[in-house]
């Protein structure tokens, strides 16, 4: 990922003070997706489909961020609290976020290696990632079921039951906005390989780094800091809300790291 001298300098970057989260801060993090979720349903109820799609996209983005924090236990909650967040998000986003958690933690331990199932999208052409999008979440679930053992399987079964309950509720209510939400989440799941992996990992090999970053404050504000992905890989214990502070500290200690890193969004668009 970096040279020996760089790794030595990385160990001098102060980060542990950024990792501490209170329960109150964690609960605030849990609120981020809710306004977007409510907005998507309300807009769908009025038949304003384009704004509804935008709200659904933002809901999925903020839910991914919350899911990501729960996976890394960055919400200041007990272990069971983080698991409950994953279960609730599984019901709202569809699929099993506990399966996602298994593969994501494996991705961090084996990033760029042949068995890095999540990260493989970063080595593919963008159009191929989109074309293979529907297969990506299926592969993730199958891998977690086969390799995760009984604890992961038990949580996946609970997620599946929650998914079934939500679908049954949609059938019983027969409410158009709820059917729209389920359709939007299915579409979003098919695009996770592109938006959650390819954008932040593609074409990084020749830079010697494993992920991309972003220094544009507007882009980072619009994406809830999710484009500080290189910083996240270097210090996964730092909550997403504080990755901007971490990036500034990294720039001070190791400026060539940011200089050599690929940008998620370049001046002319996605790099």
């Amino acid at each position: 990922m970096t040279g020996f001298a760089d790794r030595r300098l990385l160990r001098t970057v102060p980060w542990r003070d950024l990792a501490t989260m209170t329960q109150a801060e964690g609960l605030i993090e849990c609120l981020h997706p809710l306004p977007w979720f409510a907005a998507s349903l309300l807009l769908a109820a009025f038949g304003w489909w384009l704004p509804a799609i935008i709200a659904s996209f933002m809901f999925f983005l903020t839910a991914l961020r919350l899911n990501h924090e729960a996976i890394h236990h960055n919400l200041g909650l007990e272990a069971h609290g983080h698991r409950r967040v994953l279960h609730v998000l599984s019901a709202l986003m569809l699929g099993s976020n506990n399966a996602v958690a298994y593969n994501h933690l494996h991705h961090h331990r084996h990033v760029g290696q042949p068995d890095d199932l999540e990260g493989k999208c970063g080595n593919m052409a963008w159009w191929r990632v989109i074309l293979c999008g529907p297969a990506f979440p299926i592969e993730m679930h199958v891998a977690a079921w086969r390799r995760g053992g009984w604890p992961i399987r038990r949580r996946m079964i609970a997620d599946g039951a929650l998914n079934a309950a939500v679908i049954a509720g949609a059938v019983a209510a027969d409410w158009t906005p709820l059917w729209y939400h389920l359709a939007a989440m299915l579409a979003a799941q098919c695009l996770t390989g592109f938006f959650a992996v390819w954008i932040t990992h593609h074409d990084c090999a020749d830079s010697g780094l494993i992920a991309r970053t972003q220094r544009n404050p507007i882009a980072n504000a619009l994406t809830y800091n999710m484009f500080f992905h290189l910083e996240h890989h270097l210090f996964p214990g730092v909550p997403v809300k504080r990755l901007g502070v971490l990036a500034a500290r990294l720039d001070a200690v190791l400026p060539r790291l940011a200089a050599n890193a690929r940008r998620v969004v370049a001046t002319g668009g996605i790099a």
Side-chain angles (χ1 to χ4, degrees), residues 85-140:
V85 171
L86 291 176
H87 285 312
V88 171
L89 288 174
S90 295
L92 293 176
M93 301 169 72
L94 298 185
S96 170
N97 279 318
N98 283 281
V100 173
Y102 173 83
N103 287 284
H104 185 68
L105 293 175
H106 185 86
H107 166 66
H108 271 268
R109 292 190 297 267
H110 303 280
V111 61
Q113 298 181 19
D115 63 342
D116 177 15
L117 179 60
E118 178 182 312
K120 74 172 186 176
C121 294
N123 299 320
M124 299 164 63
W126 68 267
W127 59 268
R128 188 172 180 82
V129 177
I130 294 176
L131 188 65
C132 298
F136 179 69
I138 296 173
E139 291 176 340
M140 296 272 279

Side-chain angles (χ1 to χ4, degrees), residues 31-258:
L31 297 177
H32 287 316
L34 297 183
W36 296 111
F37 178 61
S40 68
L41 294 179
L42 180 63
L43 291 165
F46 282 98
W48 298 338
W49 300 114
L50 181 58
I53 290 171
I54 294 172
S56 294
F57 179 87
M58 293 304 298
F59 164 73
F60 202 81
L61 170 69
T62 51
L64 276 178
R65 166 175 157 149
L66 179 58
N67 182 62
H68 194 251
E69 297 290 64
I71 289 172
H72 289 284
H73 288 197
N74 286 346
L75 294 172
L77 308 175
E78 299 292 337
H80 66 272
H82 289 99
R83 287 196 295 270
R84 288 171 182 168
V85 171
L86 291 176
H87 285 312
V88 171
L89 288 174
S90 295
L92 293 176
M93 301 169 72
L94 298 185
S96 170
N97 279 318
N98 283 281
V100 173
Y102 173 83
N103 287 284
H104 185 68
L105 293 175
H106 185 86
H107 166 66
H108 271 268
R109 292 190 297 267
H110 303 280
V111 61
Q113 298 181 19
D115 63 342
D116 177 15
L117 179 60
E118 178 182 312
K120 74 172 186 176
C121 294
N123 299 320
M124 299 164 63
W126 68 267
W127 59 268
R128 188 172 180 82
V129 177
I130 294 176
L131 188 65
C132 298
F136 179 69
I138 296 173
E139 291 176 340
M140 296 272 279
H141 282 67
V142 170
W145 184 266
R146 287 178 175 174
R147 304 171 189 170
W150 177 241
I152 295 297
R153 291 180 182 179
R154 185 174 64 248
R155 294 168 196 167
M156 289 179 66
I157 290 171
D159 289 339
L162 289 168
N163 278 218
V166 169
I167 294 171
V171 172
D174 195 22
W175 187 41
T176 299
L178 188 52
W179 282 118
Y180 158 77
H181 172 73
L182 296 181
M185 292 303 98
L186 285 174
Q189 289 289 350
C190 292
L191 292 171
T192 52
F194 179 79
F195 285 110
V197 183
W198 184 86
I199 280 180
T200 52
H201 280 285
H202 73 97
D203 300 324
C204 288
D206 60 341
S207 70
L209 301 171
I210 53 165
R212 290 172 173 258
T213 187
Q214 185 58 49
R215 289 296 190 270
N216 185 303
I218 297 176
N220 287 328
L222 291 174
T223 57
Y224 285 78
N225 274 10
M226 289 292 283
F227 282 169
F228 283 114
H229 204 65
L230 173 61
E231 293 78 6
H232 165 65
H233 268 274
L234 294 174
F235 298 95
V238 175
V240 174
K241 66 179 288 186
R242 296 180 183 143
L243 288 178
V245 178
L246 175 65
R249 295 182 183 183
L250 279 167
D251 290 350
V253 173
L254 197 57
R256 65 178 173 271
L257 187 70

